Amino acid sequence: MARTHRTSRGRGRRLLRLLLWALAAGQVAEALSLRRRRRALVALPDSDPDGVTGAGVTTDADASADEGGASAHVAAGDVDVVAVAGAAVDERTRAAVAREMVATGAEIVDLVPPDLPVERALWLLRRVDPATFGRETDPPGGTHEAVALHPDLAARMVAAPAPQAGPEGLDRGTLVRHTIDAQRHAPGRSLLRLAPRLRTAPAAPDARWRELEELTAFARPYTSLPPVLVGAETTYLAVLTLGLAVAPVPALAALATWCAQPALVFGGRTAGALSRGDGAGGGSRGDGAGGAGSSGAASDRPTSLTPPDLAAACALRLPRAWADNVRTARAGYEATRAERRRRAAAPVPAPPPTTELFEPRRDTCPWCGSGRISPRLTVGDLLQAKPGTFHLDECADCGHVFQNPALTVRGLDYYYEHAYDGIGEELAEISFGALTPIYERRLDTLARFTEPRAWLDVGTGHGHFPLAARQRWPEATFDGTDIAESVERAQRYGRIDTAYRGLFPDMADGLPRSYDVVSMHHYLEHTREPRRELDAVAKVLEPGGHFMIEMPDAESPWARRLGRFWWQWAQPQHQHFITCRELVSTLEESGFEILCVQRGEATMGGELFNAVALAMQEVARSPHLPWLPPPTTADRVKRCAAFLASLPAFAVTKVADEVKDARLRRPGATTPGNAYRIVARRR
């Protein structure tokens, strides 16, 4: 046994040595990547003295800006600046921002102080690439020091006005939230710019924790990521520290490369920021001495991100990192205690009576009218853990799977609340924004048959799909319908041109225009009367126009294999699962010509990974859902243990999903995936 113990210990040391050598190599590679990003950071061009007066700024770019972008005339005094407590943006910087907005058509400029401390500068460069900033599907936030908004953008953000600073000024978390919302209001029109005259504001003790809270707000309904991130950092520091005693040589290599990272990223005269307009492709590299300063001396105006604590950051990085880690953990502990006290004091809302949530049970199929129906599935609310049990029946004649008894309108309101808005809004934004590859496949399918001019996306939600379509066909008009407030937000964000809020069948006769393309993506299964929805399509679609529809495919073999953990059941939101052949037949009877039917190619995938997530949610429910009683310590320990135990399953199922989904998506694949797609033309 002693020999076995020594063998295991030897293997552990070898594994640790390999890990430390890998860390050393990875840290050098990361430093080179971050150095490239630092070189891509463009400095604001210095403004002329006239800009200081707040007069209107115009440039030769007026004509192009008039054609499609920000206003060609921006007064420095009209630029709306929101800054963290202690940060001051002077008039010359405002004028430079106004000039940049006119020249580039940008509506939001995130300002980077050149004297950001090393760790904050590295954190910024890890999260965002200045070369691609503003083109990301999901807004990444920014420096969170000061953000400048075009007056037109500030006017559009009527539902999210500039936050009001408290007695001590604006906290960093609030600025993060406002920055991300501004970026969503101006898709593709955001810039990251070095502001040579801006100075970094002093950081409050809880600033880093608040920043992490808001950057990871998308996970809040189901987990809190800041403790995970701080814990991962603690583990990283512990490996570097304790490795010195267990494997000193590779540990010294890992520690040395880690401490050298700031010098590799920020050292040297050749790593200056670009200065827009000084060279091809948006500027030429500065060397730390380019551009005129406020006093006219080039050397007085920094043109690169140059942390003033570079030497100390390299020499004392480990103890400083431990101190910052402990400070952040302490702030998180206090914030968590305050939140638990608030939850304990808040009453748990009672659910509506069952009689208000469900309609009477039916004895016939709502699609074909057959009485040959039988139970298919019984499941609870695995998504939000709200009370209730939901039954799905299946028709033996047409294969239709439907919720029975169905939810009432009151029931739908109850179960939809916080699913896509409220505490679930940020998760919905991030989740739908991450589906760009699926959106691209939909667009590729439609592009085989037509080039749209006027497109109506029914059930558009937050408008992410029309945004992707607009990037391919920028001259087309994109409108959207939905019953939720999210459709109006999608219009404010510029993802759609016109928002129509309400029930689509009720609005179809009154829409002001007809369309040559109508789409329904994962919408029909949510509706109470799917046939009325399809009839409404024919009313708004021009003869010869194209209809593209995508919905869950309950004929997928994984629907039976995974049972209630098949994520496309999505109870209680999905009420109808129409088979592919039935929908094809119905469209043909309604005067449509079927152009394309995709089964495996249309799959959204992810069955195995999402099944693990749903199972874990059933075993240990989220402690962050306000309609559940506050969790006990035992509940939290149980959830933490379930999460740690599920990590290997998440890793394995992620790989397994990628393999099986790649095979399903091969062109011409006929095996049903978890969704099908139909393109039809109206005769």
Side-chain angles (χ1 to χ4, degrees):
M1 180 175 286
R3 183 177 179 180
T4 302
H5 177 69
R6 287 195 299 271
T7 302
S8 300
R9 187 169 57 185
R11 289 175 180 172
R13 287 186 175 181
R14 284 195 297 272
L15 182 61
L16 179 60
R17 282 196 289 267
L18 287 174
L19 173 63
L20 290 169
W21 282 120
L23 285 179
Q27 286 162 173
V28 172
E30 181 192 45
L32 296 177
S33 174
L34 297 184
R35 181 179 178 88
R36 176 192 59 78
R37 291 189 174 192
R38 182 223 183 184
R39 291 166 67 98
L41 180 59
V42 177
L44 281 173
D46 199 16
S47 62
D48 58 27
D50 291 338
V52 182
T53 66
V57 179
T58 59
T59 73
D60 293 338
D62 290 358
S64 61
D66 279 334
E67 292 173 0
S71 169
H73 183 89
V74 182
D78 290 338
V79 173
D80 187 22
V81 175
V82 182
V84 74
V89 178
D90 65 1
E91 289 304 310
R92 187 178 290 265
T93 299
R94 284 178 181 265
V97 168
R99 188 173 300 277
E100 191 76 345
M101 287 177 172
V102 171
T104 63
E107 290 194 301
I108 174 172
V109 180
D110 196 274
L111 302 176
V112 184
D115 65 338
L116 271 182
V118 160
E119 296 302 334
R120 288 209 57 216
L122 291 173
W123 168 241
L124 170 67
L125 295 176
R126 287 190 183 104
R127 288 187 298 108
V128 302
D129 185 347
T132 61
F133 186 82
R135 300 204 297 266
E136 292 89 347
T137 302
D138 301 319
T143 319
H144 310 140
E145 286 286 332
V147 61
L149 310 181
H150 190 282
D152 291 349
L153 172 59
R156 289 202 308 275
M157 294 178 65
V158 290
Q164 299 298 311
E168 298 180 357
L170 193 66
D171 83 290
R172 201 174 303 281
T174 305
L175 182 58
V176 172
R177 179 56 33 212
H178 190 69
T179 299
I180 291 175
D181 192 66
Q183 290 169 344
R184 288 180 176 146
H185 275 83
R189 297 189 296 278
S190 301
L191 297 177
L192 189 72
R193 289 292 185 261
L194 188 81
R197 300 173 62 85
L198 182 64
R199 294 295 172 261
T200 301
D206 66 341
R208 185 165 175 245
W209 181 264
R210 288 284 295 121
E211 186 176 32
L212 289 174
E213 278 188 320
E214 293 303 329
L215 285 173
T216 61
F218 62 89
R220 199 169 291 162
Y222 298 109
T223 189
S224 178
L225 285 182
V228 177
L229 297 176
V230 174
E233 180 185 68
T234 304
T235 302
Y236 192 90
L237 294 175
V239 168
L240 289 176
T241 304
L242 300 177
L244 293 171
V246 179
V249 174
L252 281 173
L255 188 59
T257 55
W258 184 66
C259 291
Q261 269 191 328
L264 291 173
V265 176
F266 302 108
R269 292 174 57 83
T270 60
L274 301 177
S275 180
R276 187 190 58 76
D278 293 340
S284 60
R285 290 185 180 90
D287 60 1
S294 60
S295 63
S299 60
D300 292 340
R301 183 175 182 268
T303 60
S304 65
L305 184 55
T306 310
D309 61 337
L310 183 58
C314 291
L316 303 173
R317 194 175 188 195
L318 187 61
R320 288 175 58 161
W322 272 116
D324 187 49
N325 179 266
V326 171
R327 184 165 51 249
T328 304
R330 183 183 298 119
Y333 175 73
E334 295 298 331
T336 302
R337 286 187 62 190
E339 174 63 17
R340 289 181 182 178
R341 288 194 295 268
R342 187 195 66 78
R343 281 286 309 277
V348 178
T354 302
T355 53
E356 294 183 15
L357 296 177
F358 293 96
E359 295 180 345
R361 180 177 176 81
R362 62 180 303 147
D363 299 322
T364 59
C365 171
W367 185 257
C368 72
S370 170
R372 298 177 62 207
I373 60 174
S374 59
R376 171 70 184 267
L377 184 75
T378 298
V379 63
D381 183 357
L382 299 179
L383 297 172
Q384 292 188 287
K386 288 184 177 180
T389 302
F390 314 98
H391 305 278
L392 293 176
D393 286 352
E394 184 173 13
C395 176
D397 289 334
C398 71
H400 189 74
V401 178
F402 60 100
Q403 192 181 80
N404 193 20
L407 289 174
T408 62
V409 173
R410 174 72 179 90
L412 289 170
D413 289 342
Y414 173 69
Y415 286 108
Y416 269 91
E417 186 180 12
H418 293 295
Y420 302 106
D421 57 10
I423 64 172
E425 178 183 335
E426 191 64 17
L427 178 60
E429 275 284 354
I430 296 297
S431 299
F432 292 135
L435 297 180
T436 299
I438 293 175
Y439 301 154
E440 292 296 332
R441 287 192 286 272
R442 293 173 185 168
L443 298 175
D444 290 342
T445 299
L446 186 74
R448 291 159 47 188
F449 305 104
T450 188
E451 183 169 329
R453 293 177 286 101
W455 188 325
L456 179 67
D457 189 41
V458 181
T460 197
H462 293 74
H464 290 89
F465 174 70
L467 176 61
R470 186 189 296 279
Q471 292 169 350
R472 182 171 296 200
W473 293 293
E475 301 303 320
T477 297
F478 292 92
D479 297 341
T481 76
D482 213 299
I483 61 173
E485 192 272 337
S486 59
V487 68
E488 296 170 348
R489 193 180 308 120
Q491 180 178 344
R492 292 198 303 270
Y493 286 169
R495 296 169 182 170
I496 58 176
D497 294 295
T498 306
Y500 300 105
R501 185 176 180 182
L503 295 173
F504 176 52
D506 295 342
M507 297 186 295
D509 289 322
L511 294 182
R513 63 165 67 96
S514 60
Y515 298 88
D516 65 313
V517 175
V518 174
S519 56
M520 284 182 176
H521 296 123
H522 294 271
Y523 162 81
L524 196 61
E525 64 271 19
H526 291 261
T527 63
R528 290 168 57 81
E529 300 177 274
R531 287 190 182 275
R532 283 193 68 211
E533 304 285 340
L534 296 174
D535 291 340
V537 172
K539 294 179 181 179
V540 302
L541 189 62
E542 300 172 353
H546 291 76
F547 175 45
M548 180 164 63
I549 183 169
E550 184 177 299
M551 62 183 303
D553 194 342
E555 294 178 305
S556 166
W558 290 102
R560 292 196 182 275
R561 291 169 186 166
L562 296 174
R564 68 184 187 278
F565 297 118
W566 188 58
W567 70 277
Q568 287 282 25
W569 291 129
Q571 290 301 295
Q573 297 180 20
H574 290 181
Q575 301 177 75
H576 294 279
F577 297 84
I578 307 165
T579 65
C580 184
R581 67 176 180 277
E582 282 293 320
L583 188 53
V584 165
S585 176
T586 299
L587 290 174
E588 288 177 331
E589 293 170 0
S590 302
F592 285 88
E593 176 190 0
I594 305 301
L595 302 179
C596 175
V597 177
Q598 295 178 332
R599 302 295 295 268
E601 293 177 77
T603 188
M604 299 184 74
E607 280 99 344
L608 302 178
F609 183 90
N610 285 304
V612 174
L614 291 174
M616 196 192 82
Q617 175 69 356
E618 184 180 58
V619 170
R621 292 174 173 176
S622 168
H624 306 286
L625 302 175
W627 46 86
L628 297 179
T632 64
T633 301
D635 292 332
R636 295 181 184 277
V637 171
K638 179 182 178 182
R639 182 167 175 82
C640 184
F643 178 77
L644 292 175
S646 66
L647 288 178
F650 277 124
V652 171
T653 54
K654 178 65 175 176
V655 174
D657 276 329
E658 293 295 328
V659 173
K660 75 176 180 61
D661 296 339
R663 296 188 62 182
L664 272 178
R665 292 187 180 121
R666 290 179 301 180
T670 57
T671 301
N674 60 17
Y676 63 82
R677 183 182 303 133
I678 300 172
V679 178
R681 180 167 53 220
R682 184 187 173 197
R683 295 190 180 96

